[in-house]
Amino acid sequence: MSDGFRSIEESNRARARKGNLVAPGGQSPHNYGSAFDCGVYKNGGQALSRAEWTEFTREVQRRSGNITWGGDFKSKSCEVWHFELSDWRKYKTA
């Protein structure tokens, strides 16, 4: 796991470094403990192909029922490493 909870300030600093790849502070599910970024690798550290990410993610979604995958994002960049609760906005308090 490379990123989980991120404060609003941390999100703003990350956005300054990475641009639109990071949501502004207060607009990210990371700010509400509702998202994580991770890497998934094969034995020997080889990265997954897009097809393998999709297969892995479908299994996560099947088991959880409430996960949105960044690889399915249509309106922003494809983020195969990103997972968030589908209903994360209900946890938003700011």
Side-chain angles (χ1 to χ4, degrees), residues 1-5 30 35-41 81:
M1 179 130 67
S2 62
D3 208 356
F5 173 80
H30 287 283
F36 65 92
D37 298 337
C38 70
V40 179
Y41 301 92
W81 58 85

Side-chain angles (χ1 to χ4, degrees), residues 45-93:
Q46 184 179 7
L48 299 183
S49 69
R50 174 60 190 240
E52 291 167 324
W53 265 111
T54 300
E55 182 180 341
F56 168 77
T57 298
R58 297 304 174 237
E59 182 63 17
V60 169
Q61 289 173 320
R62 184 186 71 76
R63 291 172 183 243
S64 73
N66 188 32
I67 297 287
T68 296
W69 177 42
D72 287 336
F73 288 162
K74 302 289 188 248
S75 63
K76 48 186 172 179
S77 63
C78 173
E79 300 177 22
V80 296
W81 58 85
H82 179 86
F83 296 84
E84 64 187 48
L85 292 176
S86 299
D87 58 353
W88 72 268
R89 285 174 180 80
K90 78 179 187 181
Y91 301 101
K92 189 174 176 179
T93 58

